[in-house]
Amino acid sequence: MLTYQETVWDESPHLGSYTLANFRKIPQIQEMPEEKKFEMEVVGNVLPFKANNYVIEQLIDWGDIPNDPMFVLTFPQKGMLKPHHYAKMASVLESGGDRKEISEAANEIRLKLNPHPAGQMELNVPQLKDGTKLYGMQHKYKETCLFFPSQSQTCHAYCSFCFRWPQFVGMDEMKFAMKEGEQLVQYVQEHPEISDILFTGGDPMIMSARMFGAYVDTLLEAKIPNLRTIRIGTKSLSYWPYKFLTDKDADEMLDIFDRITQSGLQVAIMAHFNHINEMTTPALKDAIQAVRRTGAQIRTQSPLLAHINDDAEMWSRMWHLQVQMGCIPYYMFVVRDTGAQHYFGVPLVRAHNIFRTAYMKTSGLGRTVRGPSMSATPGKVMIEGTPTINGQRVMQLRFLQGRNPDWVQRPFFAKYDEDAIWLDDLKPVFEDSFFFDQEMKEKYSLS
Ligand SMILES: *Cc1c(COP(=O)(O)O)cnc(C)c1O
Ligand code: SF4
């Protein structure tokens, strides 16, 4: 098993940020052939790219390029665009297209990549009782509402597979964002069924402690009786652990977690780790300890990704290490039907096999993890297995979360299909339609 180095990090970290505009200045990139750099430029003009020194110097193994998982996770890869989309952008760049031509070609391609999967824009926008629409929130599952502070619509670095990519390329004018913490308070007060607020983005831990603290204080001062947990969906532990160590407001951020815990609410960090290589630096180990000392709990989640982590052995080692470090494995997701799904997607049957193989090798303390789970329009759907029933091989599925809570925990069956990569690919077996199809059509029809 891999354990973290028992050394104390002493170099003072420096945050150099890289985007498409300056990625050629990265020393390790300079050494690459021009052809590779051009490939990154082609893809990077369509899908977002951002990296920082920590990722480049401490997470990527430059001796293992192009296969290193952290490299694939952060740098644009040729295969992320379908060949005809790649050819289109390549020809615009080769013919010396200006900014306008590049951005037109980019937007045309982006619109073909299903920028708003699972009806996020249309179906989940909540309203106050006075009719005000809250574009900075989503409320899909009864107990938990998502909050997108307008200051957190970016991340420390971008994951190449990210399903929130349209927010980072300026496609979503609203960016789901809203400034007013008061509206959040009002909404949660109007909905006594909500127990959890999930701060998300981008990455809410891109916010300064001052800004995040302002939202938190508004919530705490309102003393909302139904509110029990403040969740924070973040990749900062992985991409910028110094957020909790040496940033000038690191202690102030930890104090905020403390304050929430002291007030009787739980802080649940929904930490995003895609690969065990993100968990091996001394800074990460120290950051986890600093966060846990505040009373916050850390749960971990990641999608299963071809070219990055489609390896059961790695998952079981990662879950072991997470448990050892006091984190709680929570979700393995299936790559969403947006952006570069054709590149990162793993078929559902194979995803289940990888999950099961990794789960089998995990102690009960790590078996808090659930998956593989699809965040689809009707809900979070898990693949439970591929049993043979009356001589017929089928896929057995179950809702972990449902748009209608009554759907949760009801097993249902689909035709066995080794190529299916999303719920939409599955066909009912034993019945003419899935049990939720009719209600989905009646209540949540998008047209
Ligand atoms: C995953 C998710 C949640 C949280 O679900 P849990 O199973 O409680 O972690 C809430 N809202 C949306 C839209 C989600 O996709
Ligand atoms: S940290 Fe999350 S929101 Fe940010 S790029 Fe990665 S997957 Fe997307």
Side-chain angles (χ1 to χ4, degrees), residues 113-410:
L113 302 178
N114 189 22
H116 299 112
Q120 281 180 54
M121 291 290 254
E122 300 84 352
L123 287 181
N124 306 329
V125 177
Q127 289 187 14
L128 293 177
K129 291 208 166 125
D130 67 11
T132 312
K133 286 198 170 177
L134 304 176
Y135 288 100
M137 289 180 63
Q138 282 183 32
H139 188 195
K140 180 169 178 179
Y141 307 128
K142 226 168 128 232
E143 296 80 12
T144 304
C145 71
L146 310 192
F147 178 55
F148 299 76
S150 52
Q151 300 84 359
S152 72
Q153 300 310 303
T154 183
C155 301
H156 294 277
Y158 289 151
C159 310
S160 44
F161 67 82
C162 178
F163 75 94
R164 298 221 196 271
W165 62 274
Q167 293 174 44
F168 307 141
V169 293
M171 277 191 87
D172 291 346
E173 276 177 42
M174 297 308 297
K175 289 187 169 181
F176 296 115
M178 85 173 183
K179 288 213 173 71
E180 297 83 357
E182 281 90 22
Q183 287 186 325
L184 171 65
V185 166
Q186 190 181 340
Y187 186 80
V188 178
Q189 281 170 334
E190 287 177 6
H191 290 267
E193 73 276 17
I194 295 178
S195 59
D196 296 27
I197 295 174
L198 170 51
F199 279 77
T200 180
D203 189 335
M205 287 294 106
I206 203 95
M207 278 191 273
S208 66
R210 216 183 106 253
M211 189 65 70
F212 181 66
Y215 283 118
V216 166
D217 289 340
T218 309
L219 281 171
L220 295 186
E221 279 157 21
K223 296 200 172 16
I224 310 170
N226 44 301
L227 181 63
R228 287 155 197 265
T229 299
I230 294 182
R231 301 199 206 181
I232 304 166
T234 181
K235 181 132 186 157
S236 55
L237 283 167
S238 160
Y239 275 168
W240 191 246
Y242 307 112
K243 181 79 188 170
F244 308 106
L245 298 172
T246 54
D247 276 7
K248 60 181 186 317
D249 59 354
D251 288 342
E252 201 183 331
M253 186 60 88
L254 295 170
D255 283 345
I256 297 170
F257 294 174
D258 245 335
R259 232 164 43 231
I260 302 173
T261 322
Q262 294 299 326
S263 82
L265 300 184
Q266 193 200 177
V267 181
I269 308 287
M270 314 306 290
H272 179 179
F273 291 109
N274 305 116
H275 198 282
I276 196 168
N277 291 3
E278 293 164 271
M279 304 201 61
T280 50
T281 71
L284 183 267
K285 172 194 157 191
D286 289 355
I288 286 182
Q289 287 183 349
V291 167
R292 291 190 60 226
R293 272 197 295 269
T294 68
Q297 284 196 318
I298 302 172
R299 288 180 172 73
T300 63
Q301 54 191 23
S302 168
L304 175 64
L305 302 151
H307 306 285
I308 293 177
N309 65 16
D310 54 341
D311 169 1
E313 178 64 29
M314 192 290 293
W315 279 88
S316 77
R317 283 192 301 126
M318 181 165 73
W319 290 334
H320 268 290
L321 183 55
Q322 287 169 354
V323 169
Q324 182 188 347
M325 294 168 102
C327 305
I328 304 165
Y330 190 60
Y331 270 133
M332 177 201 271
F333 291 117
V334 176
V335 176
R336 291 195 188 216
D337 52 343
T338 177
Q341 186 200 34
H342 61 278
Y343 185 72
F344 294 113
V346 177
L348 302 174
V349 169
R350 179 154 178 261
H352 169 72
N353 288 336
I354 290 175
F355 180 89
R356 199 173 89 85
T357 309
Y359 193 88
M360 278 189 312
K361 295 181 190 167
T362 301
S363 121
L365 295 182
R367 292 189 185 181
T368 46
V369 70
R370 292 167 301 164
S373 166
M374 290 175 271
S375 287
T377 310
K380 278 187 168 66
V381 176
M382 167 185 164
I383 303 96
E384 289 204 302
T386 54
T388 301
I389 296 180
N390 283 340
Q392 184 176 9
R393 187 121 193 235
V394 299
M395 293 171 70
Q396 181 171 333
L397 304 122
R398 170 163 73 93
F399 278 93
L400 293 170
Q401 285 284 11
R403 205 170 265 290
N404 177 345
D406 189 47
W407 298 346
V408 172
Q409 290 286 41
R410 279 161 63 173

